[in-house]
Amino acid sequence: MPRPVIGISTYQDQARWGVWEMPAVLLPAGYPRLVRAAGGLAVLLPPDDARDAARDTVAALDGLVIAGGADVEPARYGAVADPRTGLPARERDAWELALIRAAIDRQIPLLGICRGMQLLNVALGGTLHQHLDDHTGGLGVFGSHPVIPVPGTAYADAVPETTVVPAYHHQAVDRLGGGLVASAHAPDGTVEALELPGHGGLVLGVQWHPEMGQDTRVMAALVGAARERAALSPRTPVAGARPDLFSVKLPPAL
């Protein structure tokens, strides 16, 4: 069976490489590396503001990862920005919220990582703490701390024991969104994982950065759910796609 196709949302920012400096689509290499290690095929999903772009994109996927990144704009959950909250990334907020809603509507397995977990909570009506201390290792340095699973949850099924995880965040879940349950905590009580039980596919968020560690189990849970869904319900072709473009016979290699 082909590897399940896992889409990963991306940054869109100014970048420099070689002799070039220009707007670029960016993603730390750990994300696609983790997808591959868990048995998936990674594709990158830059922001797209076209009508129905999120719906059509999700229809072409077996699973979705919402990656970490900038703070979610507080207006998205009805709050005034704290002075310590970062500048908004409105285009990315809009794109990833649309992807999350489309994935839930289509029962596409979904994993939110750090910002992605926070955005999942906001998408379902939850709120965020805008600032926490001691959840990084310093500016630009990942910290680590234990994460304690809640028995009986999908997260605990994947990772049943307390583990030490790589973390870098200063915001966290406050009020849980509709239908979500906390499935892991840090020793200080911070919600470290949440999920949507009773949904047709896995919907899971983790506050830490599994792509910065060696433990593949969280991503393997997503890839496994994506593989099961693909077996039961094949992906829907994107509207307007040309099937004939994919049946062209190439000449033999010289």
Side-chain angles (χ1 to χ4, degrees), residues 4 6 62-63 107-110 200-203 219-231:
I6 309 297
D62 299 314
Q107 298 186 342
I108 300 292
L110 165 65
L202 178 73
V203 177
M219 188 62 74
L222 176 77
V223 171
R227 184 178 290 111
E228 290 176 8
R229 188 190 184 282

Side-chain angles (χ1 to χ4, degrees), residues 70-127:
D71 294 342
V72 179
E73 185 174 20
R76 296 279 182 183
Y77 48 94
V80 175
D82 183 283
R84 295 165 293 187
T85 294
L87 294 174
R90 295 189 177 101
E91 184 180 26
R92 188 174 172 194
D93 282 357
W95 170 237
E96 291 178 336
L97 284 167
L99 286 174
I100 288 168
R101 289 165 181 150
I104 290 174
D105 285 346
R106 291 186 63 92
Q107 298 186 342
I108 300 292
L110 165 65
L111 173 63
I113 293 177
C114 198
R115 164 192 160 88
M117 170 176 137
Q118 296 166 10
L119 207 54
L120 169 61
N121 191 55
V122 169
L124 293 176
T127 62

Side-chain angles (χ1 to χ4, degrees), residues 2-247:
R3 288 183 290 167
V5 176
I6 309 297
I8 314 171
S9 65
T10 70
Y11 299 75
Q12 189 160 293
D13 211 339
Q14 194 77 3
R16 184 175 182 178
W17 67 100
V19 298
W20 305 106
E21 183 172 349
M22 64 179 68
V25 171
L26 301 171
L27 188 71
Y31 287 96
R33 186 184 304 125
L34 185 63
V35 168
R36 292 193 299 269
L41 179 65
V43 296
L44 305 190
L45 309 176
D48 187 337
D49 61 2
R51 183 180 177 182
D52 297 328
R55 182 201 66 185
D56 291 344
T57 297
V58 165
L61 302 174
D62 299 314
L64 173 66
V65 175
I66 303 297
D71 294 342
V72 179
E73 185 174 20
R76 296 279 182 183
Y77 48 94
V80 175
D82 183 283
R84 295 165 293 187
T85 294
L87 294 174
R90 295 189 177 101
E91 184 180 26
R92 188 174 172 194
D93 282 357
W95 170 237
E96 291 178 336
L97 284 167
L99 286 174
I100 288 168
R101 289 165 181 150
I104 290 174
D105 285 346
R106 291 186 63 92
Q107 298 186 342
I108 300 292
L110 165 65
L111 173 63
I113 293 177
C114 198
R115 164 192 160 88
M117 170 176 137
Q118 296 166 10
L119 207 54
L120 169 61
N121 191 55
V122 169
L124 293 176
T127 62
L128 303 179
H129 292 294
Q130 291 193 51
H131 185 76
L132 299 175
D133 291 317
D134 302 325
H135 281 254
T136 75
L139 185 63
V141 178
F142 281 85
S144 62
H145 61 76
V147 165
I148 306 157
V150 175
T153 61
Y155 172 71
D157 288 344
V159 186
E161 79 281 9
T162 297
T163 55
V164 175
V165 299
Y168 190 90
H169 63 97
H170 80 114
Q171 299 196 331
V173 165
D174 184 8
R175 187 184 72 243
L176 287 169
L180 292 168
V181 299
S183 47
H185 296 88
D188 66 2
T190 300
V191 175
E192 287 288 332
L194 52 71
E195 58 194 63
L196 188 63
H199 188 262
L202 178 73
V203 177
L204 174 66
V206 297
Q207 183 57 75
W208 66 93
H209 285 267
E211 81 282 1
M212 296 303 298
Q214 302 300 316
D215 192 335
T216 63
R217 288 178 291 177
V218 167
M219 188 62 74
L222 176 77
V223 171
R227 184 178 290 111
E228 290 176 8
R229 188 190 184 282
L232 294 172
S233 179
R235 295 185 298 276
T236 303
V238 176
R242 290 266 311 278
D244 55 300
L245 293 179
F246 301 97
S247 60

